Amino acid sequence: MAYFDAASAAPLHPVARQALLASLDEGWADPARLYREGRRARVLLDAAREAAAEAVGCRPDELAFTSSGTRAVHTGIAGALAGRRRVGRHLIVSAVEHSSVLHSAELLEAEGGTVTQVGVDRAGLVDPAAYGEALRADTALACLQSANHEVGTEQPVAAVAERCREAGVPLLVDAAQSLGWGPVDGDWSLLTASAHKWGGPSGVGLLVVRKGVRFAPQGPADERESGRATGFENIPAIVAAAASLRAVRAEAAAEAGRLRELTERIRARVPRLVPDVEVVGDPVRRLPGVVTFSCLYVDGEALLHELDREGFSVSSGSSCTSSTLTPSHVLRAMGVLSEGNVRVSLPAGAAEEDVERFLEVLPGAVAAVREKLGAPVASEVVREEKVLVVDSLGKRCPIPVIELAKVIGDVPVGGLVRVLADDEAARLDIPAWCEMRGQEYVGEEPADRGTAYLVRRVV
């Protein structure tokens, strides 16, 4: 089985396993106690903190260990907002942030605060100038991921941090996807990360708060981790997380070059091997091991099952998956095709032969899914003057797009196809199809049921 979902969770690094087992015998006691066992545990905890701080590029006393990356994000945002409550309750986030950031933003809005969401281009990249324009007198905090978890696009953190610094606003960076590859550039104020993204054990997160940043921990007071993370420290897991971070950093330069070559191979060959595919994400500013593409006329869940049967573990941001009925917020913000979406995220040590076998298997898997869908004929077609109405109400992606593709040739050049659909994915996938096929997306209009999407035939 080839595991190609490292962006969700990287396999446990051998160094993490060794450190975890070794520290189980020495790090079980309370590090706050002064007797021998407590002192041993404290030595392990302090050493892990110093190693992690060195990798991040901060002082050890600026770094706290949390129970997860998500907890680090929630704690960091809540504490920074509370620390600057006299300034205001305005938060800036990008439209492609991890859900942990967006959920914190939703909570702030529910409590009466305001949120500005900065958009991205079709590559998933933010414009630093847009962050500058979003800054206000009452802005308490800005957030920006270092690299996107779904499409791999690396963000201009240093440029955004400079604009925030000039305005006196702290910037929180979610570095979960990138920290294993290197420190985050720029004059950021807060940083979060998660150990299971770089091959450490799950259940360990990092929260860094630079000296001088106003920060007020929320919730009941706790004396551990500078009051920023409650509960007894999981010292064996923390030691393993720090040891694996140091290990992957030592391997990062060589492994990044190797994985970039493999993902570039996928990016270049998939569109040649599979018709009607859109490769998404920035082609240059991207993580070494991540490549994402979407396939027209394909059910994302069905494609993942086909690939799983062939021995490949991949993930999807498609709306056609069992866990969601709406497209990925990242793909939606980018305005790219969401149906048949596949994210390949290669772990360290991924074998070249596995990538080659994936490229051999993929065309057949996509073809099998398309064949099972049967390229259905539109259920109801009503012909008007130069207008063809396709009723796709009650049908989930990719059926509305398939039905559009089947009938676009039935109208003359300049004629319209009016697609009726009530699947949220159609709002994203029909414009994306037009972009790929050289047709004109006119827009949408209300319908008695669902929404009517208008497409003008150009070719």
Side-chain angles (χ1 to χ4, degrees), residues 372-438:
K372 287 177 183 177
L373 289 173
V377 178
S379 346
E380 183 181 342
V381 175
V382 182
R383 297 184 186 279
E384 304 171 3
E385 185 180 1
K386 289 190 176 181
V387 178
L388 186 151
V389 179
V390 177
D391 185 351
S392 292
L393 293 168
K395 299 178 181 179
R396 289 183 57 194
C397 75
I399 300 302
V401 180
I402 289 177
E403 295 187 337
L404 167 61
K406 296 294 286 184
V407 303
I408 189 71
D410 292 348
V411 299
V413 173
L416 291 175
V417 177
R418 190 170 186 261
V419 183
L420 300 176
D422 51 9
D423 182 1
E424 179 66 23
R427 179 167 283 112
L428 183 62
D429 291 346
I430 290 177
W433 179 87
C434 292
E435 179 79 17
M436 295 175 68
R437 308 303 284 179

Side-chain angles (χ1 to χ4, degrees), residues 221-257:
D222 195 298
E223 70 276 7
R224 297 181 185 274
E225 294 302 302
S226 303
R228 294 171 184 166
T230 59
F232 197 96
E233 298 94 341
N234 185 348
I235 293 178
I238 288 172
V239 169
S244 59
L245 180 56
R246 175 178 287 179
V248 298
R249 280 291 190 81
E251 305 160 355
E255 190 62 13

Side-chain angles (χ1 to χ4, degrees), residues 268-330:
R269 287 172 56 184
V270 164
R272 298 201 300 263
L273 294 169
V274 182
D276 297 316
V277 164
E278 181 180 14
V279 180
V280 301
D282 195 283
V284 178
R285 296 179 60 101
R286 58 186 176 85
L287 292 170
V290 178
V291 56
T292 306
F293 54 89
S294 300
C295 308
L296 273 175
Y297 320 134
V298 169
D299 179 300
E301 183 176 7
L303 181 55
L304 262 59
H305 286 317
E306 285 287 337
L307 292 171
D308 183 54
R309 280 193 288 270
E310 294 288 350
F312 294 96
S313 301
V314 298
S315 62
S316 174
S318 173
S319 60
C320 311
T321 56
S322 57
S323 61
T324 179
L325 295 177
T326 59
S328 148
H329 72 278
V330 172

